[in-house]
Amino acid sequence: MLPLIQFPAPARMVSEDVADITSGIHGLAERVAYKYAAIERQHRFRFLFEPLRLLMEQGFVARYLAGENPFPPSVEIDPANTCNHDCEFCIYHSLHGPGRRERLPDERLFSLIDELRDLGTKSLLFVGGGEPMTHPRTVDAIERAAGYGMSCGLVTNGSLVDAARGARLKQAATYVRFSFDAASRETHRALHRHDDFDRIVSNLAALAAADGPCTVGTGYFINEGNWREIVPNARMVKDAGAHYIQFKTYSGLALDPALHKRVLEQLDEALDLAEPRFDVHIADRLFENQAFQVRGYSRCHFQAMKTVIGADGWLYLCAQKRTNPAGRVGNVHEQTLGEIWDGVRRRAVVDGLDLVGCPYCVHDRQNKMIEFLGHFGAPHRGFY
């Protein structure tokens, strides 16, 4: 008779014990995430960066899924590809490199806003590209769009938002967000390659103190060069009178585990600065820290909801296609926005889009929601 093989007993059975094993908090990321969740429920401006905002546009989504081709309710405009900073981590760095000085002509910038009004666009984000405030008429353009009833956002490095411009923006814009990610002149100079740290701090305080309904916040892009200044920067932003700070990093690139741990420890401390007048927002990807994503939907749906007008005049399929000529669907110096949107070129670009070859999609959750709404056909739809 062969001897019986004795297998060691498992340290713990995994069957009905699964619920117990997976309950509670496991590790630093979950602990900080739960702390953030409790604080987020008290935010003055909840869901400020939440993809589920798509659910507020059900009428538009229904038209799109019915086969119509409505113009997007939200548009990004790059007034200029010039930039007075030279950030080493900028994902659009090539757009304001040597030989790139494009700027939308004043007349076309204003006529585009008129066209967007007529097409029913609800919100405009002035961004880049380059630094939007290097265009001398950006504030005028925001005031024009706001006068039409459109919501306007501005993302800027803040160096050119002086007190006079800030006073106008506080009245006209829906929000202004400074890209401000250092707490010292030295770190700012190293990251942005420009020596205007004190001016930005002063501009932020003046903008926050100005009269008007505009929301004022900052975005802190975390990297190897600035993680040590997460907490002092948040304190500085709060002291300047801003409404919120948002912490984020690259989409689709996981932080090194050692750096991730240090970042989480800093964010844990920064959350203690949150209070009713100051929100601390943290992007989900800083907790998840993963680069894995499968874009399994039948097509990119979100391109129908938001498009980008580049400073070079090209209309781009999405913000992540700004640096890729394959993402160009038409030029506003040659056609109207309506003609581009209904044109053959745009249709060909959308139909030929290779989702596997796309960069990490920041609108993945929205795409999945629209795919579900358009394709759900399970026979047991009444079960949840």
Side-chain angles (χ1 to χ4, degrees):
M1 176 184 291
L2 294 174
L4 292 175
I5 300 174
Q6 299 293 324
F7 292 99
R12 185 165 188 181
M13 293 296 294
V14 179
S15 54
E16 294 183 10
D17 292 329
V18 168
D20 291 334
I21 296 170
T22 59
S23 296
I25 293 175
H26 305 267
L28 178 62
E30 279 192 55
R31 182 176 66 76
V32 180
Y34 270 108
K35 179 177 179 178
Y36 173 61
I39 290 172
E40 190 276 335
R41 291 195 294 272
Q42 307 303 317
H43 275 171
R44 176 166 43 166
F45 303 111
R46 289 196 73 189
F47 309 120
L48 205 57
F49 305 97
E50 174 55 59
L52 290 173
R53 287 178 298 174
L54 170 70
L55 298 175
M56 306 301 292
E57 292 291 342
Q58 293 184 45
F60 181 93
V61 173
R63 292 177 60 198
Y64 165 75
L65 291 174
E68 296 181 38
N69 188 37
F71 195 80
S74 187
V75 172
E76 292 189 13
I77 297 182
D78 299 347
N81 277 339
T82 51
C83 189
N84 59 335
H85 284 193
D86 186 24
C87 306
E88 61 180 13
F89 53 85
C90 180
I91 61 174
Y92 302 127
H93 195 272
S94 65
L95 294 182
H96 42 266
R100 298 297 300 268
R101 307 287 297 177
E102 298 99 336
R103 192 172 83 188
L104 286 171
D106 298 353
E107 299 78 11
R108 189 61 183 121
L109 176 60
F110 297 139
S111 66
L112 284 169
I113 291 170
D114 295 345
E115 288 182 40
L116 290 166
R117 172 202 58 189
D118 296 341
L119 289 166
T121 295
K122 298 178 180 179
S123 65
L124 303 181
L125 173 58
F126 292 78
V127 61
E131 162 54 46
M133 291 297 290
T134 60
H135 194 301
R137 304 301 298 278
T138 291
V139 179
D140 295 326
I142 289 173
E143 289 174 333
R144 187 185 189 97
Y148 292 150
M150 288 187 269
S151 298
C152 295
L154 171 67
V155 175
T156 170
N157 63 37
S159 62
L160 301 176
V161 183
D162 57 25
R165 294 187 180 114
R168 294 168 62 191
L169 287 168
K170 196 68 179 297
Q171 289 290 333
T174 305
Y175 75 86
V176 175
R177 185 165 70 245
F178 282 22
S179 298
F180 181 47
D181 35 40
S184 66
R185 300 178 188 88
E186 295 74 21
T187 299
H188 175 77
R189 190 185 307 115
L191 292 176
H192 291 255
R193 298 178 181 136
H194 207 75
D195 194 11
D196 52 7
F197 177 81
D198 293 326
R199 186 195 316 158
I200 293 170
V201 175
S202 175
N203 288 349
L204 179 63
L207 176 65
D211 183 50
C214 172
T215 300
V216 177
T218 66
Y220 193 105
F221 186 90
I222 300 172
N223 54 50
E224 281 275 11
N226 68 359
W227 66 268
R228 293 175 179 84
E229 298 188 5
I230 285 173
V231 177
N233 175 272
R235 190 174 291 112
M236 190 174 292
V237 171
K238 179 178 179 178
D239 291 344
H243 297 108
Y244 70 87
I245 186 171
Q246 182 206 24
F247 293 105
K248 55 187 175 181
T249 189
Y250 287 119
S251 300
L253 292 180
L255 296 175
D256 173 82
L259 175 60
H260 187 222
K261 178 177 181 295
R262 292 193 292 266
V263 167
L264 288 171
E265 290 169 346
Q266 291 290 305
L267 293 174
D268 187 14
E269 188 176 347
L271 283 171
D272 293 335
L273 295 170
E275 61 177 44
R277 70 173 183 86
F278 183 67
D279 294 345
V280 177
H281 294 268
I282 302 176
D284 288 344
R285 56 183 177 268
L286 280 166
F287 300 122
E288 298 159 355
N289 200 40
Q290 64 179 29
F292 184 75
Q293 183 185 75
V294 176
R295 294 171 289 279
Y297 16 94
S298 56
R299 63 193 289 115
C300 175
H301 302 294
F302 200 76
Q303 52 78 29
M305 297 202 66
K306 189 175 186 179
T307 192
V308 176
I309 303 172
D312 53 7
W314 286 101
L315 196 73
Y316 289 89
L317 195 64
C318 74
Q320 290 170 285
K321 298 288 187 182
R322 263 191 184 94
T323 58
N324 187 350
R328 295 170 175 172
V329 299
N331 196 291
V332 299
H333 299 311
E334 301 169 359
Q335 295 176 287
T336 66
L337 290 170
E339 290 169 342
I340 293 172
W341 204 250
D342 293 329
V344 174
R345 176 169 182 155
R346 175 177 170 268
R347 193 176 310 119
V349 171
V350 173
D351 291 343
L353 188 63
D354 173 23
L355 295 180
V356 177
C358 274
Y360 192 93
C361 184
V362 297
H363 299 300
D364 180 65
R365 287 176 64 186
Q366 293 98 321
N367 272 314
K368 287 175 178 174
M369 279 189 279
I370 297 174
E371 181 84 3
F372 170 82
L373 291 171
H375 296 272
F376 178 63
H380 37 64
R381 62 188 304 139
F383 295 86
Y384 300 97

